[in-house]
Amino acid sequence: MSEGYIKKLLGLFRVCEDLDNREGLHHLYEIVRGVLFLNKAALFEVMFSDDCIMDVVGCLEYDPALVQPKRHREFLTKTAKFKEVIPITDSELRQKIHQTYRVQYIQDIILPTPSVFEENFLSTLTSFIFFNKVEIVSMLQEDEKFLTEVFAQLTDEATEDSKRRELVNFVKEFCAFSQTLQPQNRDAFFKTLANLGILPALEIVMGMDDLQVRAAATDIFSYLVEFSPSMVREFVMQEPQQTDDDVLLINVVIKQMICDSDPELGGAVQLMGLLRTLIDPENMLASTNKTEKTEFLSFFYKYCMHVLTAPLLANTAHDKNAKDVQEGSTKINPVCPDNFQTAQLLALILELLTFCVEHHTYHIKTYIMNKDLLRRVLVLMNSKHTFLALCALRFMRRIIGLKDEYYNRYIIKGNLFEPVINALLDNGTRYNLLNSAIIELFEFIKVEDIKSLIAHIVDNFYKALESIEYVQTFKGLKGRYEQEKDRQNIAEMPVQWTRTRSCGSTDDDDDDDSEAVEKSRMEDDFSDSYSKYMEAKKGAANGANGANNGKAAVIPPASPAATPNNSSTSSVKTVALPATPVVKTALVGLVDYPDDEDEEEEDEEEEQAPRKRPRLSS
């Protein structure tokens, strides 16, 4: 720098070029490239000044690896035209814009793609471009007159199409440059744009016929949505007071998505992503306005949802003719038209609706019920495009995944499993994604034990499904169904009857139909037996140890294994009781003590014991 080396070097370049000294020019290419890789900001200031930059580009044209030099200077001076959409009066700003474009060209076009080892060799060059962009954005932002004029011409109906295209491209590049700003500066930048009316301008521009203008407007809109979805939502919610539904910004965006002429729907995919960001409750939670979620979703479902679902409803409108087609045919509801582009669009709409089912519980539920939307979506199970059938299935799977009985009743009432089962049967023995996805749906219902759906499926479709044995899903559904039936039957039985049967009783009294009669008889029998038993115990106790008086009401253990085998009376006691643990729930808590085994029992007790058996056990 102190010797003015770079300027001398570039003077030598002009001499070599005049003499067509290729060897010297090749050396100069290597030297200039080497100086760039020194990665010094002070050197870049000299090399990229107005006096030197075109000669630096000239040196870089003579790559020894090329047979003929590239014509980069010709491109920069003649082909690449600098257009001032609104005249820039600030000469410093204009010079900065020129410099930034040329340096970006050197980095992107002229210099070879850096290898892994060279990635950081030009970090200062990247920083040089970055700070230039920051300066340009700041200088333009401060020039309020310039930006006001840009937006005024953008929205003026009298503006020529070519001029409007340039203006939109300028704003797009302006927004792209803003990404280099620090977060707080970027906030100020977008607020400036909002105050200048960028959203009303986009509303007009996005509805125009010019494809280039629409594409650029979509890019600008994406910058705004990514920066602040709340800002866009706030603008949109203020609109209905002064405009009709057709020109609402969100409806304009939806229509652009629906009318995308690109066979691959590149623009529609981008717009669908932006819509999803706008209707995502997750990015509404951070807002200081606590009611934003409720208000915006109410607005969206009132003014915009019918626009989004219009293609879906239009392409499935023929499902009323189902009765005219012979029974058993799986193609009763044709999708019309069923071309690839329409299928892609419907898949995008379904993806958005599936997102709504997951995140907008109340609003989407009301909409689905009112419009019978799931029935219309399931018409798409007949599409020849499997990816669309899978989107329809995914929509239903997300609804069932909520395990909401309102949805379940709606599905049962509308018999909405029929198109899914038809698609499974129509798919035959092919083990493809559709087959797996449908089986997973039924497996989920089985594993989660959604009783209402299980009963509906088994009652209505089991005959058609029982032949499918390569998975156990449908047999498992039938098993769950039968278990539930058994459980309900047991729950409906009279309580006393189940208790008596559980004790294994074979008495004639079990045949009594009246539960009240059975109960009173059991109580009478028990009190009669028990009083006689107590008298017998008192007599035995008086002739034995007085300390045992407190144990008069002694009953032998339920299990014969618990009594000593050498006791002569133990066999009588054991016979007198059932061999089931139900004894634990007897009406009176009775306890057995080992030292009572030797007590003599009177004949009266032995006579009562066998008749007493079913009564005590109850």
Side-chain angles (χ1 to χ4, degrees), residues 533-552:
Y533 187 84
M534 287 291 289
E535 288 170 12
K537 292 303 291 179
K538 280 179 185 177
N542 289 336
N545 187 359
N548 288 336
N549 286 343
K551 303 175 195 171

Side-chain angles (χ1 to χ4, degrees), residues 30-247:
E30 299 288 359
I31 292 167
V32 169
R33 186 168 172 272
V35 173
L36 284 173
F37 278 116
L38 287 173
N39 206 24
K40 293 292 179 188
L43 294 178
F44 290 159
E45 290 290 347
V46 177
M47 295 174 81
F48 300 146
S49 65
D50 280 355
D51 299 340
C52 301
I53 190 164
M54 294 311 285
D55 286 335
V56 169
V57 171
C59 289
L60 293 172
E61 289 179 353
Y62 292 95
D63 185 346
L66 301 173
V67 178
Q68 289 294 327
K70 294 282 187 182
R71 297 173 178 261
H72 295 304
R73 283 170 295 175
E74 187 178 322
F75 174 82
L76 288 172
T77 52
K78 295 178 182 174
T79 310
K81 298 289 183 186
F82 176 64
K83 295 177 181 175
E84 295 182 48
V85 288
I86 304 292
I88 295 174
T89 52
D90 188 338
S91 59
E92 187 187 348
L93 174 60
R94 190 188 295 109
Q95 184 271 330
K96 191 69 73 177
I97 292 170
H98 283 307
Q99 184 189 57
T100 306
Y101 178 79
R102 289 165 178 169
V103 176
Q104 187 92 57
Y105 183 85
I106 291 171
Q107 185 188 41
D108 294 345
I109 307 298
I110 300 178
L111 292 175
T113 306
S115 68
V116 177
F117 303 106
E118 296 174 331
E119 268 189 53
N120 295 319
F121 283 10
L122 291 172
S123 58
T124 309
L125 182 62
T126 305
S127 299
F128 184 91
I129 295 167
F130 176 88
F131 288 116
N132 263 19
K133 288 180 177 180
V134 170
E135 274 190 71
I136 291 168
V137 171
S138 302
M139 290 165 84
L140 282 171
Q141 198 177 330
E142 287 162 13
D143 191 344
E144 284 188 17
K145 187 180 175 186
F146 176 84
L147 284 179
T148 306
E149 186 63 26
V150 168
F151 285 106
Q153 290 199 26
L154 193 59
T155 53
D156 188 350
E157 291 181 6
T159 306
E160 293 179 8
D161 290 349
S162 57
K163 178 75 170 175
R164 185 174 279 108
R165 196 178 302 136
E166 289 171 6
L167 287 162
V168 173
N169 282 327
F170 164 78
V171 177
K172 173 188 164 183
E173 201 160 348
F174 193 33
C175 290
F177 273 35
S178 74
Q179 301 305 296
T180 60
L181 297 173
Q182 295 295 319
Q184 65 270 23
N185 295 339
R186 200 179 312 156
D187 284 3
F189 169 79
F190 279 110
K191 280 173 185 166
T192 303
L193 288 188
N195 294 336
L196 289 167
I198 187 151
L199 286 164
L202 278 180
E203 202 167 58
I204 295 167
V205 173
M206 287 184 84
M208 293 184 171
D209 296 330
D210 191 312
L211 288 175
Q212 283 186 319
V213 168
R214 284 211 311 255
T218 300
D219 288 340
I220 297 166
F221 185 62
S222 71
Y223 283 122
L224 293 170
V225 171
E226 284 165 21
F227 162 69
S228 173
S230 289
M231 182 179 79
V232 178
R233 284 192 285 262
E234 190 180 341
F235 167 76
V236 164
M237 281 191 286
Q238 292 167 355
E239 288 185 288
Q241 301 158 15
Q242 62 229 17
T243 57
D244 62 295
D245 290 6
D246 286 343
V247 293

Side-chain angles (χ1 to χ4, degrees), residues 396-397 400-401 403 408 411 417 438-455 457 473 477 480:
M396 185 180 192
R397 171 68 176 80
I400 289 173
K403 296 189 279 188
N408 293 347
I411 289 168
F417 276 108
I438 293 173
I439 287 172
E440 191 277 335
L441 173 72
F442 289 109
E443 185 69 25
F444 175 82
I445 293 168
K446 183 192 84 175
V447 170
E448 295 296 325
D449 197 15
I450 305 174
K451 294 179 174 55
S452 56
L453 295 184
I454 291 173
I457 293 163
T473 300
L477 283 172
R480 287 281 172 122

Side-chain angles (χ1 to χ4, degrees), residues 364-423:
I364 190 69
K365 188 193 296 183
T366 308
Y367 191 84
I368 289 172
M369 303 292 186
N370 289 344
K371 295 286 184 181
D372 197 10
L373 191 64
L374 181 56
R375 179 185 303 283
R376 303 299 281 274
V377 167
L378 290 174
V379 170
L380 301 176
M381 293 295 293
N382 295 324
S383 173
K384 65 185 179 186
H385 301 285
T386 307
F387 70 87
L388 182 56
L390 284 164
C391 282
L393 185 66
R394 193 180 303 123
F395 181 69
M396 185 180 192
R397 171 68 176 80
R398 199 65 93 243
I399 288 173
I400 289 173
L402 296 174
K403 296 189 279 188
D404 184 324
E405 274 305 309
Y406 283 104
Y407 276 130
N408 293 347
R409 284 200 291 273
Y410 163 65
I411 289 168
I412 291 166
K413 187 178 177 184
N415 196 29
L416 297 180
F417 276 108
E418 186 178 6
V420 177
I421 288 167
N422 281 342

